[in-house]
Amino acid sequence: MMISHIFPETARVRDNGHLFLGGCDAVDLVDRFGTPLYVFDEATLRSQCAQFVGEFTLRHADTQVVYACKAFINRPLAQILHEEGLGLDVVSGGELAIARAAAFPVEKVYFHGNNKTPEELRFALDAGIGRFVVDNFLELERLEALAGEAGKKQDILLRLSPGVDPHTHQHTTTGIIDSKFGFTIATGQAETAVARAMSASHLNLVGLHVHLGSPIFETEPYQLAMRMTFQFAAQMREKLGLRMAEFSPGGGFAIQYTGDSPAPPVGAYAEAIVSALHEGSRAAGMPAPRLIVEPGRSIVGRAGVALYTVGATKEIPGVRKYVSVDGGMADNIRPAIYGSRYEAVLANRTGGVGELVTIAGKFCESGDVLVRDVQLPELRTGDILAIPAAGAYCLSMASNYNASLKPPIVLVKDGNARLIRRRETYEDLMRCDVIDGR
Ligand code: LLP
């Protein structure tokens, strides 16, 4: 596998045979920061933001790109996203706390989630959050009461479940009928929700939201879901006088993880979504609403590369050769829970023809395999292995399994490396212990 658009834009192999990211030698980065190490390329990060903003606003000027924090968030990243003009989609008090600590403008924050707690609702209301994306009747009731207590009229969107299959892994499919998320259109729930939201005196229903799943490699599911949502919106306008000023088709835009799984370019999603928006509103005889898109993976995924050091190997003749690295399922659980595939590349030298190996992690489970059956130059202990497309849903889903230390993140740009998250320490692991009541 050669360096390609699976790696960050700035990735190069230089004459010394080393992988360079953002002008930094991966081997130097490893010397300085150790492994496992997550490297984020600032140029790729910013250019993904710019592509989303550019491709969508070019076709529909009134678009707000909102980054889905669940893919990964911390304060330095939030600042970059703000500089690029994005808003944030948060799904917990924790993500909102990070956004606030980064001085992110709260009016550009959208609060999602199927079971927001009363504490989270209150926290977000008090913070002056831009929009709640209300998921269910309990939330509608609680929010109406809390907004009343606070003397506010809160802007909300309703999350609908349109019943469209985006053909993703079943764990990450959300828009189908059998889903815990949203008000189902087909059962009449969505209509009841619109009626209740419109009659709530402390809520202001500004629009509708759908999210189908992730990652979605096709554009048709978006168009299908939008057709259904616009038809529903037209019916609700007739029946209840709903004015859909805002609409969101969610996120879920795919990225390329392996050589054989190309993803549509951002422009293809933008074209499909904006044309469905314009057709949908024309057919419904309503002005085109403001569009809100919520990319997560497609903003940070490609920017991130995970670097590991090769340790022990085990050859089982006629069966398989395991090569173990110093990270694994605690920093990237995606292969274990979704069967996700990644590429792997030797980062410290160019090698020969090589062999077929399986890259295992260091954690105490047989399922801790990062890449099964990958062709690599013969690996030696101490080699540096790079796994690309590791910026999204790796560190945000990382755990301290086996009391491991979550890895650091270094942001690279023009040959400079800036640590934006330090490696955890043993002390961090024990910070929340309570001994003898103290
Ligand atoms: N909007 C909503 C309402 C969502 O639920 C999600 C993702 C997104 C936006 C962003 O989706 P993205 O653009 O990042 O695909 N842990 C899984 C992915 C779970 C996605 C959950 N919701 C994974 O590692 O593949």
Side-chain angles (χ1 to χ4, degrees), residues 68 70-71 89 112 159 172 209 211 214 250-253 294-298 334 338 393 397:
K70 68 207 91 183
D89 144 5
H112 284 269
R159 164 112 183 223
T172 55
H209 176 285
H211 170 78
S214 165
F253 313 109
E294 303 171 340
R297 183 190 320 268
S298 43
R334 302 190 67 259
Y338 311 123
Y393 301 109
M397 296 177 80

Side-chain angles (χ1 to χ4, degrees), residues 229-429:
T229 309
F230 277 84
Q231 277 165 14
F232 173 76
Q235 287 164 12
M236 292 307 103
R237 187 195 47 199
E238 298 309 312
K239 282 193 181 175
L240 303 166
L242 171 74
R243 196 177 82 79
M244 182 168 70
E246 297 185 8
F247 167 78
S248 176
F253 313 109
I255 61 165
Q256 183 163 3
Y257 281 98
T258 58
D260 59 3
S261 61
V266 178
Y269 288 110
E271 185 58 39
I273 287 171
V274 172
S275 60
L277 186 89
H278 292 162
E279 275 162 33
S281 28
R282 207 175 309 126
M286 58 173 79
R290 156 170 264 216
L291 175 64
I292 298 133
V293 286
E294 303 171 340
R297 183 190 320 268
S298 43
I299 297 289
V300 288
R302 182 182 172 191
V305 177
L307 299 176
Y308 301 98
T309 301
V310 171
T313 57
K314 172 180 176 178
E315 177 129 35
I316 310 162
V319 178
R320 172 182 305 283
K321 180 171 177 182
Y322 285 98
V323 175
S324 293
V325 295
D326 53 358
M329 68 188 295
D331 62 271
N332 184 356
I333 201 168
R334 302 190 67 259
I337 60 174
Y338 311 123
S340 307
R341 303 257 326 148
Y342 286 88
E343 299 286 356
V345 163
L346 186 56
N348 58 307
R349 60 185 169 85
T350 39
V353 187
E355 54 184 351
L356 196 68
V357 296
T358 285
I359 307 298
K362 74 185 295 284
F363 299 96
C364 291
E365 281 196 27
S366 294
D368 179 25
V369 163
L370 284 174
V371 190
R372 196 171 288 278
D373 296 333
V374 58
Q375 189 76 25
L376 281 167
E378 197 166 330
L379 295 173
R380 306 176 199 135
T381 302
D383 274 338
I384 308 300
L385 208 63
I387 295 196
Y393 301 109
C394 293
L395 291 179
S396 64
M397 296 177 80
S399 76
N400 291 113
Y401 186 46
N402 293 171
S404 60
L405 306 175
K406 288 185 193 160
I409 305 174
V410 67
L411 189 70
V412 291
K413 189 190 177 199
D414 300 334
N416 297 313
R418 174 160 79 96
L419 195 64
I420 59 164
R421 184 184 161 88
R422 66 161 172 80
R423 187 181 306 283
E424 288 183 345
T425 63
Y426 291 151
E427 289 71 39
D428 289 329
L429 293 179

